[in-house]
Amino acid sequence: MKKILILNGPNLNMLGKRDPKQYGSMTLADIEALCRDVAAEYDFEIDFRQSNHEGELVEWIQQALGKCDALMINAGAYTHTSLAIRDALELLEVPIIEVHLSDPKTREEFRHFSYIERLATATISGQKDQSYVLALKKLGEILN
Ligand code: DHK
């Protein structure tokens, strides 16, 4: 069974209350349940986490070294600011899929740059909760 770590950054615990036009109306728990359903189809074991703290996300990425087969990350606002998360991701030797509910490239200019993009095998954005589903499907193609 392939192990997929799914990391969610700051404010993603507030999904359901955030702007539905950008983020959809599902809560993070709904998205986790959706991911678990899709993961089961691919025989993936998923570890789904959220943190509002940059250092905690860095530690989780470091701990994943040698222990997961792929990583999906929606780093939230840290996507655009965190060199520390980028440097931690660089240590991983497994596929990384960058995920966003909204499409940051078509939003405010300060969301256009991503520290994660260049390290990612793929970036999937703009499909709300379905971005997570498409990211898992992509990993299905890559890993199975
Ligand atoms: C989530 C956030 O919280 C924003 O800070 C990013 C991302 C976009 C998303 O679309 O999932 O800019």
Side-chain angles (χ1 to χ4, degrees):
M1 219 179 195
K2 305 276 191 205
K3 290 186 184 168
I4 318 292
L5 178 60
I6 305 179
L7 295 183
N8 295 281
N11 297 306
L12 292 166
N13 56 318
M14 301 308 282
L15 290 177
K17 294 192 170 77
R18 297 184 77 183
D19 180 0
K21 285 198 198 86
Q22 297 294 352
Y23 301 107
S25 49
M26 279 198 175
T27 64
L28 194 62
D30 294 333
I31 292 175
E32 177 174 358
L34 185 63
C35 286
R36 291 199 179 281
D37 285 347
V38 178
E41 288 171 32
Y42 291 98
D43 220 18
F44 289 159
E45 180 185 321
I46 64 170
D47 182 354
F48 191 100
R49 303 184 191 192
Q50 188 274 333
S51 177
N52 292 321
H53 303 280
E54 185 177 22
E56 187 164 41
L57 291 161
V58 168
E59 281 172 9
W60 286 343
I61 295 164
Q62 291 175 359
Q63 288 160 12
L65 248 181
K67 297 209 180 78
C68 70
D69 298 292
L71 179 133
M72 277 167 52
I73 183 163
N74 182 353
Y78 289 143
T79 305
H80 320 296
T81 63
S82 181
L83 180 54
I85 289 176
R86 184 229 171 268
D87 283 351
L89 290 172
E90 196 176 31
L91 292 165
L92 295 182
E93 288 169 345
V94 296
I96 295 167
I97 310 288
E98 180 186 18
V99 183
H100 299 290
L101 296 143
S102 68
D103 181 3
K105 304 280 187 209
T106 59
R107 296 179 63 190
E108 306 95 321
E109 202 174 340
F110 55 77
R111 295 183 203 274
H112 292 187
F113 175 76
S114 164
Y115 273 103
I116 296 168
E117 194 170 33
R118 283 194 182 183
L119 296 175
T121 304
T123 297
I124 299 178
S125 52
Q127 317 287 317
K128 303 201 170 72
D129 52 278
Q130 291 301 305
S131 295
Y132 285 73
V133 172
L134 293 171
L136 280 166
K137 288 188 172 169
K138 183 84 190 164
L139 286 176
E141 285 167 25
I142 294 169
L143 297 177
N144 288 339

